[in-house]
C-alpha cells in the first residue's frame, strides 16, 4: 500500500548544482502536485499537473521545472540550486473524487 | 500569495483537555480539509468537508464547514499524547476547475503534556 513515494528523503547540495526530486504514486490519480514547506510555514504550491503531458505553475514556480510523461511519475527539477531553495518538498496526488494524499517529503539543504 | 488565517498558532495543553482550532478566509471555498503532520512526515488527511454547514466526525475529531463557506473549525476531544503534531486546514477554491488545487493555512502546533 505505497501511496505517494518520494526519493530521496534527504539531500545536501552545493550552490549551483542541479538535481531531480522523484515522486511516484500507485493510486492512478490524475492530479499531482509539488509543494515546498519552509520552517513554521504552511505549504506553498510550486507546480501541478492534471494529467500526463500537462503541467502548470503554482504559486512559487521560479527556479523549478517539472514534467509528467506518465500518470505515475511527477519529477521536480532544480537546475541551479540556490540557498533560498532550502526547504522540505512534498509531492501529493489526488483524483476527482479523492482529496490530496501526500508523500513523506524530501528534506533539501543547499549550502 | 493567498493564505488562510489559522489560529491559534500553537497550543500547549494537558492530556484529557479538549482542543479547538479554526481557519478563516476572505475567499469562498467548496471544500475544506484538515490534515495532521507528524515530525519528519508528510501531512495526513483527517477530515474532508464538502458542503456548507456540514459537521463531520472522525473518532475524537469533529470538524465543521462554515455556513458562509469562508471558515472551518476542528475540535479534538479528550486529547492524548499522540495528538501532538501540526494541524493544517486547507481550502479548495471553487474556481480551481478540475485541478483540486488547495490553499493551506499556516498550521497549529499542538503539544500535549501527559
Amino acid at each position: 500500500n505505497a501511496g505517494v513515494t518520494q526519493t530521496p528523503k534527504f539531500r545536501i547540495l552545493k550552490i549551483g548544482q542541479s538535481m531531480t526530486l522523484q515522486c511516484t504514486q500507485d493510486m492512478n490519480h490524475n492530479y499531482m502536485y509539488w509543494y515546498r514547506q519552509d520552517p513554521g510555514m504552511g505549504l506553498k504550491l510550486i507546480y501541478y499537473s492534471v494529467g500526463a503531458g500537462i503541467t502548470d505553475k503554482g504559486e512559487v514556480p521560479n527556479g523549478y521545472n517539472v514534467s509528467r510523461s506518465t500518470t505515475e511519475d511527477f519529477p521536480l527539477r532544480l537546475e541551479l540550486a540556490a540557498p533560498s531553495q532550502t526547504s522540505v518538498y512534498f509531492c501529493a496526488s489526488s483524483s476527482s473524487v479523492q482529496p490530496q494524499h501526500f508523500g513523506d517529503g524530501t528534506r533539501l539543504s543547499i549550502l | 500569495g493567498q493564505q488562510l488565517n489559522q489560529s491559534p498558532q500553537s497550543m500547549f495543553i494537558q492530556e484529557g483537555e479538549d482542543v479547538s482550532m479554526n481557519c478563516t478566509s476572505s475567499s469562498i471555498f467548496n471544500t475544506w480539509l484538515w490534515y495532521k503532520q507528524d515530525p519528519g512526515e508528510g501531512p495526513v488527511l483527517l477530515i474532508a468537508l464538502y458542503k456548507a454547514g456540514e459537521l463531520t466526525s472522525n473518532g475524537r475529531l469533529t470538524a465543521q464547514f462554515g455556513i458562509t463557506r469562508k471558515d472551518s473549525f476542528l475540535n479534538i476531544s479528550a486529547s492524548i499524547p499522540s495528538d501532538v503534531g501540526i494541524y493544517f486546514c486547507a481550502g479548495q477554491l471553487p474556481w480551481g476547475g478540475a485541478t483540486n488545487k488547495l490553499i493551506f493555512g499556516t498550521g497549529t502546533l499542538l503539544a500535549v503534556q501527559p
Side-chain angles (χ1 to χ4, degrees):
Chain A
N1 211 14
V4 179
T5 303
Q6 291 184 237
T7 56
K9 293 193 183 302
F10 305 93
R11 185 73 185 267
I12 299 174
L13 283 182
K14 293 183 179 178
I15 295 171
Q17 285 186 320
S18 62
M19 79 162 292
T20 300
L21 283 66
Q22 302 291 345
C23 176
T24 187
Q25 53 94 7
D26 61 0
M27 297 173 282
N28 202 32
H29 284 169
N30 285 336
Y31 310 130
M32 296 187 75
Y33 315 82
W34 273 106
Y35 295 88
R36 60 177 288 172
Q37 184 180 32
D38 298 323
M41 303 292 288
L43 289 90
K44 298 289 181 69
L45 183 64
I46 304 171
Y47 269 96
Y48 66 98
S49 169
V50 300
I54 306 169
T55 64
D56 209 345
K57 295 178 180 179
E59 186 182 355
V60 289
N62 291 344
Y64 307 95
N65 278 302
V66 294
S67 59
R68 184 97 182 270
S69 56
T70 67
T71 299
E72 296 78 19
D73 300 306
F74 190 40
L76 177 72
R77 178 100 179 142
L78 282 70
E79 290 293 350
L80 286 171
S84 61
Q85 293 178 304
T86 293
S87 190
V88 182
Y89 291 84
F90 289 102
C91 178
S93 72
S94 72
S95 71
S96 58
V97 296
Q98 283 193 347
Q100 291 184 29
H101 291 261
F102 286 81
D104 284 338
T106 295
R107 281 139 192 85
L108 180 63
S109 293
I110 298 163
L111 307 175
Chain B
Q2 195 167 11
Q3 204 161 45
L4 299 177
N5 297 314
Q6 186 171 348
S7 64
Q9 279 190 326
S10 59
M11 302 182 74
F12 300 89
I13 62 171
Q14 297 283 338
E15 183 177 0
E17 289 185 23
D18 296 343
V19 170
S20 184
M21 58 191 79
N22 69 83
C23 275
T24 60
S25 172
S26 57
S27 301
I28 291 173
F29 293 107
N30 64 357
T31 299
W32 280 96
L33 305 171
W34 284 92
Y35 289 87
K36 182 192 177 202
Q37 185 176 24
D38 290 329
E41 298 184 12
V44 174
L45 183 67
L46 298 174
I47 292 180
L49 303 159
Y50 297 106
K51 199 165 72 170
E54 180 181 353
L55 184 72
T56 298
S57 293
N58 178 8
R60 293 178 295 105
L61 278 61
T62 301
Q64 184 157 30
F65 192 144
I67 287 290
T68 64
R69 297 170 64 193
K70 294 182 179 180
D71 62 326
S72 177
F73 72 76
L74 174 71
N75 285 344
I76 305 173
S77 63
S79 58
I80 59 178
S82 62
D83 290 334
V84 165
I86 302 176
Y87 292 79
F88 289 99
C89 63
Q92 183 174 318
L93 295 161
W95 45 262
T99 66
N100 287 6
K101 284 197 294 182
L102 299 176
I103 305 296
F104 280 84
T106 50
T108 295
L109 172 64
L110 178 63
V112 180
Q113 185 167 2

